[in-house]
Amino acid sequence: DAVYKIAAGKNSYEVIWKNNDPTHPVRSVAATSSDSIFWNCLDLLPVQMIKGKIYKSTTNNFIGRTVFTYKNEAFALTTNGVASYNETLQPLVSFTSKTNNAVTALIDAEENIWIGTWEGLLKFRKISFQQYSLQQSNHKEVFSMLERKNGDLLFGGNRGQVFSKQQDNIN
């Protein structure tokens, strides 16, 4: 029926926000600091309170399921996907083609997004591809590539240039 704050080492609590609609109970709460608190009520938009001022998201495309934090940032699991949450929802991944029954989510150390659903577990990689820039001012195209027997990769560029991958660089 509310969002409460319990101070460390105290035997008392403080009501931060009173819920006037018991048909939509508070489903989850997450805080990035004592002044920045996020919560989600059942089947409503996620809410943020910064220094006592309440902000609500405005799009019904992101009815909330739960809110959570990762590296001191807030995220919302919604009916459509996962969004970062800083006064507004910024979509990160969409799972509308995979499920509409997401229940929980987390972000792992590699920043992959895991979503628990009624149908199973979904994993979204932060990036599908890694882009490498060639260390030349002109002619950054790659037209051919091959792997040598020892595993070295060679990339053929414009004007007869050949590049190789060395650790995380293309030289």
Side-chain angles (χ1 to χ4, degrees):
D1 64 348
V3 174
Y4 300 91
K5 178 180 177 180
I6 302 170
K10 304 274 183 170
N11 271 342
S12 61
Y13 61 87
E14 175 185 355
V15 176
I16 299 296
W17 174 78
K18 178 74 174 140
N19 185 358
N20 294 322
D21 186 355
T23 61
H24 297 284
V26 175
R27 191 170 187 165
S28 64
V29 178
T32 56
S33 73
S34 61
D35 291 330
S36 186
I37 304 162
F38 302 81
W39 65 86
N40 191 83
C41 292
L42 178 66
D43 296 330
L44 295 178
L45 294 167
V47 176
Q48 177 182 21
M49 178 184 283
I50 301 174
K51 295 183 180 179
K53 186 173 179 184
I54 293 178
Y55 300 89
K56 292 184 179 181
S57 300
T58 57
T59 173
N60 287 328
N61 292 334
F62 289 98
I63 298 299
R65 297 283 195 217
T66 188
V67 290
F68 62 99
T69 59
Y70 173 74
K71 289 189 175 180
N72 215 28
E73 291 183 42
F75 297 87
L77 171 65
T78 71
T79 53
N80 286 349
V82 174
S84 64
Y85 193 15
N86 187 3
E87 294 184 30
T88 61
L89 292 168
Q90 301 297 317
L92 298 175
V93 297
S94 173
F95 51 70
T96 55
S97 64
K98 303 286 183 204
T99 184
N100 63 356
N101 294 309
V103 179
T104 188
L106 69 79
I107 300 175
D108 68 18
E110 293 177 343
E111 299 188 358
N112 300 309
I113 298 173
W114 293 83
I115 300 170
T117 74
W118 289 6
E119 293 89 5
L121 189 61
L122 302 176
K123 178 182 179 183
F124 292 88
R125 295 196 176 276
K126 183 176 180 182
I127 55 172
S128 300
F129 295 95
Q130 182 170 349
Q131 182 173 356
Y132 294 91
S133 295
L134 303 179
Q135 303 300 314
Q136 298 290 330
S137 58
N138 298 324
H139 310 298
K140 296 186 176 192
E141 304 87 4
V142 172
F143 295 105
S144 63
M145 59 184 90
L146 66 84
E147 181 177 11
R148 299 173 73 187
K149 286 183 183 181
N150 65 1
D152 289 346
L153 299 176
L154 298 177
F155 307 96
N158 204 340
R159 306 235 191 298
Q161 294 178 338
V162 177
F163 300 92
S164 64
K165 182 176 181 298
Q166 297 170 347
Q167 293 156 356
D168 286 336
N169 297 316
I170 305 293
N171 300 315

